[in-house]
Amino acid sequence: MSDKIKRIGVLTGGGDCPGLNAVIRGVAKPAHDNGLQVLGILDGFEGLVLGKGKELYNKDVSGILAQGGTILGSSNKGDPFHWPERVGDEIKIVDKSEEALKNCDAWGIDALIAIGGDGTMHIAHQLGEMGLNVIGVPKTIDNDLDATDQTFGHDSAVFVVSEALDRLHTTASSHHRVMVIEVMGRYAGWIALHGGLAGGADIILLPEFPFSWDEVYQKVMKRNMRGKRFSLVCVAEGALAEGEKMVVEETDIKRTDPLRLGGVAKYVAKKIEINTGLETRYTVLGHTQRGGSPTPYDRILSTKFGTYAIYLANKKRFGEMAALKGNEIKSVSIESAISKQKLVLCDSQAVRAASAVGVSFGTKDF
Ligand code: F6P
């Protein structure tokens, strides 16, 4: 009997982002060319628990390279180890990992390719410990996985932020206003940092560097006094002032991470207006950062990741995740990938470059 793998499952877990379909295509096309069958699992890990899957044929993955979202559907509420079950009026959290494994057996898949961020990699790792053959592909607009130099989806989100800042720039300058823009990123400031830098923000506020209100007010006032009668403030959803807490929009225990951040731009805009007297408006970019077509960079990275994942599967290098290291795609263990979150450091090159061109991070430290 040949010990080659014959059938793989693929799923997209957590929040969607541009490039997911390019990865699915990168997995399925070489798999089909090598005679492998590909089962698409629907709605992330929810589909694994509920047994929702569909065969992916060549025609299904043709023409999806530039398509946003995921043809498989996704969910950030389907963690098999943290499964919300309704009991009467209450939601109880139960473990459904055995069901997930039983479904994989019933489908006859030899390996599962899990495309997702830190939450997905945690689940993939736990399923791997239970004996499932898993391979990871790192996705997230947040770019907060330390094991890879970049996750796919981040570049597309930064593109959206940069374009929005360009648009806000012209209207801010016409009306002599302070414009505050709120971007995603959860507990990491990469989208705000890279998007703010690309879009010429004057102030960038990050979760990693709690800011001083006085520094923020002084920066906009100084610009005003120098004749720059507008300012652009790019604030990460997780940014917080010294001694304060992150602004939370909602807490939902059904989610892997129950906290949904949001609302900081409105708060920052109000404080700036009250304390500087300058007219201020805010914009929340929200899920526009996750929608639409991937940038060329993300299409290329996603294709490299997908094809590398099928290479790992063929080599039976289970428990590994594709990762960008410099210009090369390599692999790391999924376990090491979940051990460290990648956060912005004060000596990050982008932070130093931003400081050098006069960007304020709302702190005296640099
Ligand atoms: O992790 C991706 C992300 O977009 C974060 O930046 C954001 O905090 C979160 O997901 C939003 O989640 P949801 O789509 O559930 O609102």
Side-chain angles (χ1 to χ4, degrees), residues 17-18 140-143 150-162 191 194-195 198 289 293-299 301:
C17 78
T140 169
I141 61 166
D142 305 341
N143 199 32
Q150 187 142 337
T151 52
F152 75 86
H154 179 65
D155 187 64
S156 303
V158 167
F159 181 81
V160 173
V161 175
S162 162
I191 300 178
H194 291 150
Q289 295 158 97
S293 189
T295 57
Y297 179 87
D298 272 338
R299 294 179 198 189
L301 183 60

Side-chain angles (χ1 to χ4, degrees), residues 200-238:
D202 305 297
I203 301 176
I204 300 176
L205 303 177
L206 307 178
E208 291 88 341
F209 316 144
F211 61 88
S212 134
W213 286 113
D214 274 347
E215 288 291 320
V216 173
Y217 305 148
Q218 272 175 36
K219 174 75 181 179
V220 288
M221 293 300 282
K222 270 190 204 151
R223 279 179 55 80
N224 218 47
M225 274 158 13
R226 286 206 326 266
K228 298 264 189 188
R229 295 174 58 209
F230 70 93
S231 288
L232 296 177
V233 185
C234 183
V235 52
E237 61 181 356

Side-chain angles (χ1 to χ4, degrees), residues 49 166 314:
V49 171
D166 287 349
N314 277 321

Side-chain angles (χ1 to χ4, degrees), residues 77-332:
K77 293 182 186 163
D79 181 347
F81 301 92
H82 185 95
W83 184 265
E85 198 160 69
R86 183 165 283 285
V87 182
D89 281 349
E90 267 183 59
I91 304 277
K92 264 184 68 183
I93 301 298
V94 296
D95 186 343
K96 292 270 186 183
S97 52
E98 288 295 344
E99 268 93 328
L101 292 191
K102 271 186 211 148
N103 285 326
C104 291
D105 261 1
W107 281 320
I109 55 175
D110 302 309
L112 173 70
I113 296 181
I115 311 167
D118 56 346
T120 300
M121 293 309 141
H122 266 101
I123 299 167
H125 174 63
Q126 284 172 277
L127 292 172
E129 300 264 273
M130 294 172 75
L132 190 67
N133 295 329
V134 283
I135 283 162
V137 176
K139 161 239 74 168
T140 169
I141 61 166
D142 305 341
N143 199 32
D144 59 352
L145 279 177
D146 194 59
T148 180
D149 289 352
Q150 187 142 337
T151 52
F152 75 86
H154 179 65
D155 187 64
S156 303
V158 167
F159 181 81
V160 173
V161 175
S162 162
E163 200 193 20
L165 276 165
D166 287 349
R167 289 175 188 276
L168 290 173
H169 199 150
T170 58
T171 171
S173 125
S174 311
H175 286 269
H176 318 300
R177 283 172 171 161
V178 179
M179 289 288 184
V180 181
I181 182 173
E182 177 175 317
V183 306
M184 285 185 166
R186 217 186 286 270
Y187 309 118
W190 295 107
I191 300 178
L193 175 61
H194 291 150
L197 195 51
D202 305 297
I203 301 176
I204 300 176
L205 303 177
L206 307 178
E208 291 88 341
F209 316 144
F211 61 88
S212 134
W213 286 113
D214 274 347
E215 288 291 320
V216 173
Y217 305 148
Q218 272 175 36
K219 174 75 181 179
V220 288
M221 293 300 282
K222 270 190 204 151
R223 279 179 55 80
N224 218 47
M225 274 158 13
R226 286 206 326 266
K228 298 264 189 188
R229 295 174 58 209
F230 70 93
S231 288
L232 296 177
V233 185
C234 183
V235 52
E237 61 181 356
L240 67 168
E242 286 164 355
E244 297 188 18
K245 290 200 170 125
M246 289 182 186
V247 184
V248 173
E249 168 88 34
E250 181 196 41
T251 304
D252 177 356
I253 59 152
K254 296 194 285 312
R255 297 160 58 98
T256 311
D257 176 357
L259 293 190
R260 194 155 70 80
L261 300 174
V264 67
K266 185 176 181 183
Y267 176 49
V268 168
K270 186 130 201 111
K271 293 272 282 188
I272 291 178
E273 188 161 85
I274 291 171
N275 289 284
T276 64
L278 298 172
E279 197 174 25
T280 306
R281 295 286 187 272
Y282 72 92
T283 303
V284 180
L285 277 189
H287 293 80
T288 58
Q289 295 158 97
R290 297 226 308 249
S293 189
T295 57
Y297 179 87
D298 272 338
R299 294 179 198 189
I300 295 166
L301 183 60
S302 301
T303 304
K304 285 183 182 174
F305 276 154
T307 53
Y308 199 81
I310 200 70
Y311 159 81
L312 290 174
N314 277 321
K315 294 273 176 206
K316 298 193 169 180
R317 284 171 48 183
F318 305 127
E320 296 189 29
M321 183 190 86
L324 180 68
K325 299 281 181 192
N327 281 325
E328 291 287 307
I329 307 293
K330 304 230 160 116
S331 76
V332 294

